[in-house]
Amino acid sequence: MQFSLISDTFEKMEATTKRLELTQHLVDLFKATPRESISKIVYLIQGKLRPDFEGIELGVAEKLAIRAIAKSSGSSVKKIQDIFVEDGDLGHAASKALEQKTQTTFIKQQITAERVYDTLLKIAKLEGARSQDMKMKYISSLLNDATPQEAKFILKIAMGTLRLGIADNTVMDALAIAYTGSRTNREKLEAAYNVSSDLGRVAEIVAEKNLDGLKEFHVSLFSPIRPMLAERVKSAKEAEEKLGKEFAAEYKLDGERVQIHLGGDKVVLFSRRLENITSHYPDIVENITKALKTEEIILEAEAVAINENTGEFLPFQELMHRRRKYNIDRIVSQYPITVNLFDIMYLNGKDLLNSTYEERRKKLEDITVENEFVKLVPKIIVRSENEVEDFLENGINAGCEGLMLKVLDAPYRAGARGSNWLKLKREYRNELGDSLDLVVIGAFFGKGRRTGRYGTLLLSTYNQEKDTFESICKVGTGFTDENLDQFYQILSSKVTLKKNPRIESGMEPDVWFEPELVIEIVASEITLSPVHTCAKDSVRKGSGLALRFPKFTGKIRDEKAPEDASTDQEVVTLYKNQKKVTQDVSEV
Ligand code: AMP
């Protein structure tokens, strides 16, 4: 397959922000893709080479890419650097440099998508002393045969800066249309994706065997399952209204969610975002089997930092120390943890996703032998609002964030947020009753003490239905000097030349970012807003919702993907609850 088919499609996608058009471009591309190459094309569209859990990173440094472009275009390194500084994107720099090419290569091969993919995969796997030279050679060999437009996208993929403005949902819509003739089959593809976390493989199977093939997808060891997510409730009363007479209440611990796969001697750990985090927790790898009476198992647990002297839970930021490559052994003893099991999805060859919560919890209890390091998350069955409140009180005294409330006869719905799990957090000292997790979409430059850094950030909620990020407020309070430096460092690599098409904002910041970073915010109130686009028209025609007196809590939620942020619908619910309270009070 010619790579130009892909680069033409990407070019068209960059020119639109409409989801239907973006989907249609993908459908056309998939229809033109040979079946044996579809998985490679899907990974490239996702901006990756393999599913996240395999941990294959492209790892091309800017300097190296600049040298490769210089070599292939016959320009000087200095000249490429100048173009790069001017418009900030190496893809553009590559296409410009090739347009002005002074050397010509005589034997020019048409470049195929497979060759681009295979070469990038080779680059990703290179290690060792000579790897930098080899990487440069590989990239410039691609560029030698590429047109300027192809070069632009090869570089964007290699640098991880391909921003097509689409999420996995759009790719699944397009696959469903291209291979099954109807977008409504998206759900079936999603079910396969939920248990495999590998969209390339889902595409390959549906292309080859149509819907029937999707039945092949089962939970399997060492392939992460997309996690089940919870909806929030504001009070025990609301939970009782939603869950009925009898349900389970568990402590909600404030740590890192870890999916544990154990088979024979092998232990593999995945994060909530399904990255392989086995190396962060050598203590889990070493000790988990001692607490389990079985051999093949997939479990979910919350790893929580503890104070070794008192056994108390510590806030989840303490776990950030674990995210490192070197000296992990020292860190393990300096920042000890406990592993708190709360679910089981697979046991000795059997998929448990369709078992009820009650059955799964029973199995979990049967196979676990608790010790100092591995524990079951405390759980009771509750029948009234009062019981929920008492248990919440106990939980908070024990250092928890709140409770998770779970429907007893519900299955494990992988990849889904629904009302079978509810989260009830402790009362925050803000009038809203809860914090929100918002996505940073833009920033305004700082003044005075904040000169040279971002002074205020523009934040958004996530709209699940439209797959967009809608602005909700500007925030400038709650930042320490250290936070400001940290934000500048993290966010400057996310700056985009133009607004990502998934962002909808009535406010124009000084810089736009890729919607990636999630931070926690508290506020005093939700108000109607003529400017912000969150839940626009839902409460009143022509108005969106905004936060009044928003404040950063100090928590960067980097275990959350932007699609896990608070949604416009949650804000509408909070708005309505808040109105109800004011009305109730004024009626008294
Ligand atoms: P949130 O991050 O606020 O959306 O809350 C969901 C997260 O709570 C999950 O991803 C888990 O990491 C964490 N959690 C803590 N305790 C539990 C529990 N008992 N059951 C499920 N999730 C839990």
Side-chain angles (χ1 to χ4, degrees):
M1 179 186 185
Q2 297 309 320
F3 185 69
S4 59
L5 260 176
I6 296 190
S7 55
D8 285 345
T9 306
F10 287 180
E11 189 82 52
K12 286 188 224 151
M13 290 176 78
E14 279 195 340
T16 183
T17 56
K18 299 202 178 83
R19 182 150 180 211
L20 277 181
E21 282 178 22
L22 289 164
T23 314
Q24 190 53 47
H25 290 313
L26 289 178
V27 172
D28 296 341
L29 177 65
F30 293 153
K31 285 190 170 160
T33 302
R35 307 217 146 161
E36 62 280 9
S37 303
I38 184 69
S39 61
K40 295 181 180 177
I41 306 306
V42 167
Y43 296 133
L44 290 181
I45 290 167
Q46 290 184 300
K48 45 183 98 149
L49 296 172
R50 295 288 305 154
D52 286 339
F53 60 86
E54 288 188 16
I56 293 188
E57 292 195 9
L58 270 154
V60 175
E62 252 164 36
K63 261 195 188 150
L64 188 144
I66 290 175
R67 270 167 55 212
I69 300 170
K71 185 160 182 264
S72 298
S73 64
S75 304
S76 66
V77 165
K78 165 89 177 52
K79 193 163 168 202
I80 307 295
Q81 262 163 349
D82 289 346
I83 312 181
F84 178 43
V85 168
E86 213 170 282
D87 73 7
D89 183 299
L90 271 179
H92 290 131
S95 73
K96 272 196 193 156
L98 285 194
E99 272 162 17
Q100 302 163 2
K101 188 166 177 174
T102 51
Q103 292 174 347
T104 36
T105 25
F106 293 107
I107 322 153
K108 210 169 173 142
Q109 294 174 6
Q110 277 225 327
I111 204 159
T112 64
E114 292 79 0
R115 177 174 157 208
V116 172
Y117 176 90
D118 294 342
T119 310
L120 292 177
L121 193 61
K122 269 190 218 151
I123 291 175
K125 289 184 173 167
L126 280 172
E127 273 175 15
R130 288 199 50 237
S131 65
Q132 296 304 314
D133 285 344
M134 292 299 291
K135 282 185 187 182
M136 198 193 85
K137 274 197 189 133
Y138 279 135
I139 295 183
S140 74
S141 81
L142 287 177
L143 296 183
N144 284 342
D145 292 331
T147 63
Q149 188 205 46
E150 288 170 338
K152 170 168 131 188
F153 289 107
I154 291 171
L155 254 295
K156 278 178 182 266
I157 297 169
M159 303 309 296
T161 55
L162 181 70
R163 320 261 198 220
L164 297 176
I166 49 161
D168 293 345
N169 284 349
T170 313
V171 183
M172 284 190 272
D173 278 349
L175 287 169
I177 298 169
Y179 294 113
T180 77
S182 165
R183 203 182 86 112
T184 51
N185 288 320
R186 206 278 298 282
E187 268 175 32
K188 296 189 177 111
L189 273 83
E190 204 171 341
Y193 185 33
N194 286 339
V195 295
S196 65
S197 309
D198 183 347
L199 202 49
R201 192 156 79 83
V202 174
E204 194 171 71
I205 301 287
V206 80
E208 202 178 310
K209 303 182 183 163
N210 210 291
L211 287 178
D212 265 356
L214 295 178
K215 295 189 189 129
E216 282 176 23
F217 283 84
H218 298 291
V219 170
S220 54
L221 269 181
F222 310 119
S223 296
I225 300 165
R226 295 176 79 212
M228 178 162 174
L229 305 170
E231 264 176 17
R232 78 174 67 206
V233 281
K234 219 179 142 198
S235 64
K237 184 157 172 263
E238 194 186 338
E240 202 190 357
E241 281 162 12
K242 285 203 162 149
L243 299 182
K245 277 208 189 91
E246 197 181 65
F247 49 94
E250 293 178 357
Y251 280 1
K252 182 178 192 303
L253 305 169
D254 189 16
E256 178 169 24
R257 188 172 189 158
V258 185
Q259 198 177 108
I260 305 171
H261 290 236
L262 166 72
D265 290 339
K266 188 169 158 191
V267 179
V268 180
L269 310 176
F270 298 105
S271 69
R272 173 185 167 135
R273 299 181 73 168
L274 309 178
E275 290 139 346
N276 187 324
I277 48 167
T278 314
S279 63
H280 299 182
Y281 295 104
D283 39 356
I284 301 185
V285 174
E286 195 183 323
N287 297 313
I288 189 76
T289 44
K290 294 177 198 152
L292 299 171
K293 291 188 264 181
T294 184
E295 275 157 20
E296 285 203 340
I297 191 161
I298 302 178
L299 297 167
E300 265 193 327
E302 191 82 355
V304 189
I306 52 154
N307 178 327
E308 221 174 0
N309 298 315
T310 61
E312 276 170 342
F313 292 135
L314 298 174
F316 99 115
Q317 277 92 332
E318 296 289 313
L319 291 175
M320 295 301 126
H321 300 287
R322 297 269 181 147
R323 300 191 179 178
R324 52 158 65 213
K325 282 198 175 140
Y326 308 105
N327 290 333
I328 186 76
D329 290 337
R330 182 169 55 80
I331 293 296
V332 164
S333 53
Q334 229 171 327
Y335 299 94
I337 57 162
T338 57
V339 179
N340 303 273
L341 306 174
F342 63 80
D343 219 318
I344 174 166
M345 291 94 108
Y346 177 92
L347 178 64
N348 299 331
K350 206 163 169 262
D351 173 347
L352 299 181
L353 295 188
N354 286 321
S355 303
T356 64
Y357 165 82
E358 247 179 330
E359 290 161 352
R360 299 197 311 278
R361 174 80 195 197
K362 166 97 182 39
K363 284 222 158 69
L364 188 61
E365 286 170 10
D366 287 349
I367 56 145
T368 307
V369 191
E370 289 186 277
N371 58 31
E372 281 297 297
F373 182 66
V374 178
K375 301 184 185 296
L376 289 160
V377 166
K379 165 232 153 191
I380 59 166
I381 302 287
V382 280
R383 288 178 192 82
S384 72
E385 198 185 316
N386 286 347
E387 283 176 12
V388 175
E389 267 158 14
D390 288 349
F391 197 51
L392 178 65
E393 187 73 35
N394 291 346
I396 285 170
N397 289 336
C400 299
E401 258 194 314
L403 297 180
M404 295 292 285
L405 306 171
K406 302 183 176 178
V407 172
L408 293 174
D409 58 4
Y412 187 97
R413 295 261 332 268
R417 186 183 298 283
S419 47
N420 285 332
W421 281 13
L422 300 178
K423 55 185 174 191
L424 173 63
K425 290 201 197 169
R426 67 195 297 176
E427 285 291 316
Y428 285 87
R429 268 179 304 269
N430 74 93
E431 289 95 300
L432 266 194
D434 202 352
S435 58
L436 293 168
D437 295 325
L438 301 176
V439 185
V440 186
I441 53 174
F444 298 82
F445 290 120
K447 303 193 182 83
R449 265 189 344 123
R450 295 189 181 176
T451 306
R453 296 179 289 187
Y454 300 127
T456 35
L457 304 179
L458 181 62
L459 305 179
S460 74
T461 44
Y462 177 58
N463 181 324
Q464 274 175 326
E465 201 186 317
K466 292 184 2 210
D467 189 27
T468 50
F469 297 93
E470 301 171 335
S471 72
I472 183 167
C473 68
K474 259 167 76 171
V475 63
T477 18
F479 305 125
T480 60
D481 271 358
E482 207 185 349
N483 290 148
L484 289 171
D485 286 338
Q486 200 184 7
F487 276 126
Y488 194 75
Q489 212 182 3
I490 302 174
L491 288 167
S492 42
S493 68
K494 300 188 191 299
V495 173
T496 57
L497 284 180
K498 56 173 191 164
K499 181 166 72 73
N500 181 304
R502 292 167 76 201
I503 295 177
E504 287 188 2
S505 167
M507 200 174 252
E508 186 83 15
D510 293 333
V511 280
W512 291 109
F513 302 123
E514 271 308 311
E516 284 169 359
L517 185 72
V518 182
I519 63 175
E520 193 181 68
I521 296 292
V522 289
S524 69
E525 205 187 337
I526 299 168
T527 54
L528 288 167
S529 158
V531 178
H532 289 294
T533 53
C534 170
K536 189 149 189 179
D537 297 332
S538 312
V539 176
R540 182 182 299 163
K541 192 122 195 58
S543 293
L545 294 176
L547 297 184
R548 191 155 173 251
F549 302 133
K551 185 175 168 205
F552 175 52
T553 63
K555 270 194 186 175
I556 295 183
R557 306 292 315 253
D558 56 4
E559 83 289 9
K560 285 207 165 182
E563 290 83 6
D564 297 327
S566 302
T567 63
D568 56 323
Q569 289 310 314
E570 290 178 56
V571 176
V572 170
T573 312
L574 288 174
Y575 177 79
K576 288 189 177 152
N577 286 344
Q578 151 193 304
K579 259 191 98 184
K580 226 164 66 198
V581 172
T582 359
Q583 272 165 4
D584 290 350
V585 171
S586 54
E587 275 163 17
V588 173

